[in-house]
Amino acid sequence: MVSNPDHPPLRSSPACERNQTAIGSVLREWVDDAGVLLEVGSGTGQHAAYLIDSFSSLIWQPSDRVPDVTSIMGWAQTSGDSNRIRAPVTLDAADARDWSRAVPFDSLLTINTLHIMSWSHVCELFRQAARFSKPQSRFLVYGPFHENGEPTSEGNAVFDQQLRAEGSGMGIRDIGEVRAVAAANDWLEQAHYHMPANNRMLVFLRASPEVS
């Protein structure tokens, strides 16, 4: 937690602290420094605060279903250039009206969100992201995945059981099923990274419209 005598401690996620360096290394390979990045599911805001310093001019647009504005903007103030982190917008993955208020953006990033969405929301995430993205936009998706219907580690198996026990349609997604949904919405897979703690990073490119 970050302490400031004039403000309450900021929300903090240990997972953010563990994975941000690895995520940053992939992000720098694929994200255009001159563009706007929309982060879907910003949570505490730690990723924006850390990763923005990897770029000289990138604009970061946080979002969440119910954004924690205090935490996100509090973390933004700890970055090297808080002016490049915008105030968060409300974004439900399945709500086209929310997406229409989040545009324009050049790339998308979502970290550890697919397993806390219902499967229908995962499908809508890729559909709505394609609908509102520019051709050649990139979509980076980070988190745990199953492969061929099986957990990739004992820890992921336990985590999946915990998620599914809560109901609400949560659970670790199968990487093949995610790829199929992405492809059905014209997201072309460009890269697949094995990340720390049995996580993966998938990089997709928005296909250009066909010329008739």
Side-chain angles (χ1 to χ4, degrees):
M1 302 285 273
V2 172
S3 297
N4 183 310
D6 300 318
H7 300 282
L10 299 175
R11 286 176 56 215
S12 178
S13 166
C16 289
E17 296 172 6
R18 289 194 301 268
N19 64 30
Q20 57 194 11
T21 300
I23 291 173
S25 66
V26 175
L27 214 61
R28 286 188 292 273
E29 290 185 44
W30 294 97
V31 172
D32 184 358
D33 192 18
V36 176
L37 180 145
L38 173 63
E39 183 187 11
V40 180
S42 295
T44 63
Q46 284 167 269
H47 283 123
Y50 176 82
L51 295 170
I52 196 70
D53 292 338
S54 298
F55 300 89
S56 61
S57 57
L58 180 73
I59 303 298
W60 196 288
Q61 177 60 72
S63 75
D64 217 321
R65 248 181 130 170
V66 182
D68 186 336
V69 177
T70 300
S71 182
I72 292 171
M73 298 315 294
W75 277 106
Q77 294 302 314
T78 71
S79 71
D81 191 349
S82 61
N83 292 329
R84 291 192 288 117
I85 301 177
R86 292 176 175 170
V89 294
T90 298
L91 180 61
D92 183 319
D95 193 329
R97 293 168 300 178
D98 286 351
W99 282 94
S100 68
R101 290 188 285 266
V103 293
F105 53 84
D106 302 287
S107 55
L108 299 103
L109 171 68
T110 195
I111 299 171
N112 286 329
T113 60
L114 268 57
H115 56 274
I116 60 172
M117 295 180 181
S118 67
W119 178 244
S120 64
H121 267 69
V122 172
C123 295
E124 280 297 303
L125 169 64
F126 283 96
R127 188 172 81 88
Q128 298 293 348
R131 179 181 176 187
F132 288 96
S133 292
K134 304 172 184 177
Q136 303 301 299
S137 293
R138 289 182 175 126
F139 189 4
L140 290 85
V141 180
Y142 175 95
F145 291 94
H146 289 341
E147 249 185 312
N148 299 317
E150 298 294 331
T152 59
S153 70
E154 183 177 345
N156 280 354
V158 172
F159 184 38
D160 182 57
Q161 291 172 355
Q162 293 171 341
L163 290 168
R164 294 181 187 279
E166 293 185 33
S168 305
M170 296 189 296
I172 294 179
R173 307 304 167 192
D174 187 84
I175 200 166
E177 293 179 355
V178 171
R179 284 171 165 150
V181 169
N185 288 283
D186 296 322
W187 288 106
L188 308 178
E189 187 173 351
Q190 302 294 291
H192 170 206
Y193 295 84
H194 289 258
M195 306 292 279
N198 298 302
N199 290 304
R200 309 287 179 89
M201 177 79 90
L202 301 177
V203 181
F204 298 98
L205 178 72
R206 180 73 171 96
S208 299
E210 293 184 4
V211 178
S212 55

